[in-house]
Amino acid sequence: MTNLSDHQLLDLYPKLSSDFFAVSADILAPKLLGKILVKLEAAGVLAGQITEVEAYTGFNDPADHGYRGRSQRNQSLFLEAGHLYVHRIHRYHCLDIVSDTEGFPGSVLIRSMEPFVGIETMQTRRGKSDLAALLTGPGKICQAFAIDTTFDGASICQSNSQIFLLDTPDIPDSKITRSPRIGISVAKDKLLRYYLSNSRFLSR
DNA sequence: AGCTAGATCTACT
DNA sequence: GTAGATCTAGCTA
């Protein structure tokens, strides 16, 4: 896969459309594993395969940023499915895919990926060369892909979207592990983190 | 207007 | 395993 050209990759799989994302976050999360995140930049293409995600289930979930209702920071969580929610945490940014329906703040946090295309750019931005250190954490992904709050509220389902997902075959449940989410202070017991069991591209 | 906590990461020991 | 960097939304007053 590492020798695949940008052109081949983009022709190989169709872009995921908004109906794919319009389900509850806990359903969407495992379906995002194995999908390929693509960002088109003037200098070239960046792409990676999603290996680890977390679901945030809206008004049902005290750990969800939209749990207490709409605010300036979280308003894109209330958009219809297939938009991005990007927020800052400490020095870094985190990237969520908005799920569910308009007005319900469910989303899936992209926690880790395996780098596929644009690896040199990612290495430069991250200041690291080890592939396993490039995209194994939500802040690392946003740094490598140069995703900041200017992408908050952007659609990933338009024909002119700069960021979108490619529809690769689903991963069977037998290759997916569930665990508690990482780094949160409430609702720690919920098993809403999902990852590819045998991947070496995972956080922690 | 000031204070605090946070869906993180790195560099130490 | 833990301290410190770093910054902003959201809260209290």
Side-chain angles (χ1 to χ4, degrees), chain A residues 98-166:
Chain A
V98 175
S99 63
D100 294 271
T101 56
E102 187 174 0
F104 188 89
S107 69
V108 177
L109 170 70
I110 310 300
R111 277 199 70 86
S112 295
M113 299 198 297
E114 175 174 350
F116 275 2
V117 179
I119 290 175
E120 281 188 19
T121 301
M122 298 179 195
Q123 289 169 324
T124 302
R125 289 174 178 168
R126 290 275 304 123
K128 310 262 178 191
S129 56
D130 180 10
L131 294 190
L134 291 186
L135 303 176
T136 51
K140 300 177 187 179
I141 290 170
C142 287
Q143 189 178 38
F145 276 69
I147 293 172
D148 60 19
T149 52
T150 61
F151 289 93
D152 185 39
S155 170
I156 58 170
C157 302
Q158 307 292 118
S159 57
N160 63 349
S161 295
Q162 239 186 103
I163 298 174
F164 51 89
L165 288 174
L166 297 180

Side-chain angles (χ1 to χ4, degrees), chain A residues 31-102:
Chain A
K31 290 172 64 181
L32 288 178
L33 294 174
K35 300 295 184 277
I36 298 175
L37 180 77
V38 179
K39 183 182 179 214
L40 306 179
E41 296 186 351
V45 175
L46 299 174
Q49 183 174 45
I50 298 173
T51 56
E52 176 187 354
V53 295
E54 285 177 358
Y56 288 85
T57 59
F59 295 130
N60 310 313
D61 181 5
D64 190 294
H65 284 175
Y67 180 68
R68 287 174 189 79
R70 198 185 299 249
S71 71
Q72 186 180 154
R73 177 180 70 158
N74 68 21
Q75 52 190 326
S76 51
L77 276 179
F78 293 81
L79 296 171
E80 61 184 8
H83 286 79
L84 298 179
Y85 168 54
V86 182
H87 82 278
R88 187 182 249 291
I89 176 71
H90 296 269
R91 297 183 50 203
Y92 297 88
H93 296 275
C94 291
L95 174 68
D96 283 38
I97 311 287
V98 175
S99 63
D100 294 271
T101 56
E102 187 174 0

